[in-house]
Amino acid sequence: MSTSDPAPEEHAAPISPGADTTWFVVPLFNEGQVVGDVIRDLRTRYPLVVCVDDGSLDDSAKIAEEAGALVVRHPYNMGQGAALKTGIDYALRDPAMRQIVTFDSDGQHQVDDAAAMIAQRDAEGVDIVLGSRFLDGRTKPGLLKRMLLRGAVLYTNLTSGVKLTDAHNGLRVLGREACEKLAIEQNRMAHASEIIEEIGRHEFTVAEHPVHIIYTDYSRSKGQPMLNSVNIVIDMLFR
């Protein structure tokens, strides 16, 4: 693993409430077409962004760095779970860090949703806020994807004891204590179920917040939404 960054305590001036104590962790794999816009949009309000380039074969890392993110590089593709673990460990190096937000690099997550989730954690005093695409009608997954996600929710609710409406949403706000205690050992898509199980094991307080996941022509062209749903099910069954 390599990194090209200044010391984490060298903060840019905060723009949104809590921006000086909030790190965004952005896993990155072959998203050169869109990651620059994602990072620039994010950093207009939250300057502390670490991208974990998970062995990209394109110029994703360079583009993310030019857009203002700190970039940590995996030498080869290890999986999204491993990238999140690396990013969380990096953010924990900052003694001022109060919380991290996990945020996708492909343009499907909204900065407004992240800001609302940060505000909800402050208002309710919970350890963790998880995004849910099923608490309102803005997100429009296809029928098969919806069925797969609903099945994943049922499985995770049964095995973790944590009752959620969307167990595999990548937009999360995790308080510092949760970041220190959550054990992410599943390198690939099963990390999402593992995080929920860890929430139950440590009895963290958790809330959900409605979020809008945008399935773009770009993400559909890569086959990500359906492929990720299938990968989640496979990883849960065979981890």
Side-chain angles (χ1 to χ4, degrees), residues 133-134 144-160 162 164-169 189 192-193 196-197 228-234 236 239:
R133 73 202 95 185
F134 297 122
L144 181 55
K145 181 176 177 65
R146 181 181 291 272
M147 291 173 61
L148 287 169
L149 289 170
R150 291 294 194 187
V153 169
L154 289 173
Y155 173 88
T156 304
N157 286 354
L158 286 172
T159 58
S160 69
V162 181
L164 301 171
T165 62
D166 189 354
H168 290 85
N169 195 308
M189 297 310 294
S193 294
I196 305 305
E197 290 171 2
N228 283 350
S229 301
V230 173
N231 285 340
I232 287 168
V233 173
I234 291 173
M236 286 191 305
R239 60 183 170 144

Side-chain angles (χ1 to χ4, degrees), residues 211-229:
V211 298
H212 183 196
I213 305 300
I214 298 178
Y215 301 121
T216 62
D217 290 341
Y218 167 78
S219 66
R220 289 191 179 96
S221 72
K222 295 183 69 176
Q224 285 185 347
M226 187 55 63
L227 179 60
N228 283 350
S229 301

Side-chain angles (χ1 to χ4, degrees), residues 99-216:
Q99 60 201 350
I100 68 100
V101 180
T102 64
F103 198 87
D104 285 356
S105 59
D106 60 3
Q108 292 189 0
H109 290 165
Q110 310 305 303
V111 183
D112 284 345
D113 286 338
M117 291 166 67
I118 291 168
Q120 181 178 0
R121 195 175 97 83
D122 286 339
E124 298 183 9
V126 294
D127 297 311
I128 294 168
V129 177
L130 302 175
S132 173
R133 73 202 95 185
F134 297 122
L135 287 177
D136 63 23
R138 290 178 295 165
T139 302
K140 306 294 185 184
L143 178 60
L144 181 55
K145 181 176 177 65
R146 181 181 291 272
M147 291 173 61
L148 287 169
L149 289 170
R150 291 294 194 187
V153 169
L154 289 173
Y155 173 88
T156 304
N157 286 354
L158 286 172
T159 58
S160 69
V162 181
K163 303 305 179 185
L164 301 171
T165 62
D166 189 354
H168 290 85
N169 195 308
L171 186 53
R172 314 173 183 89
V173 181
L174 308 174
R176 185 179 187 99
E177 182 182 1
C179 293
E180 292 171 338
K181 292 184 178 180
L182 289 175
I184 302 177
E185 298 178 352
Q186 295 293 325
N187 284 349
R188 299 198 176 274
M189 297 310 294
H191 75 273
S193 294
E194 184 178 42
I195 287 173
I196 305 305
E197 290 171 2
E198 285 287 289
I199 291 171
R201 185 168 73 89
H202 291 289
E203 298 183 339
F204 287 126
T205 54
V206 62
E208 287 187 291
H209 192 281
V211 298
H212 183 196
I213 305 300
I214 298 178
Y215 301 121
T216 62

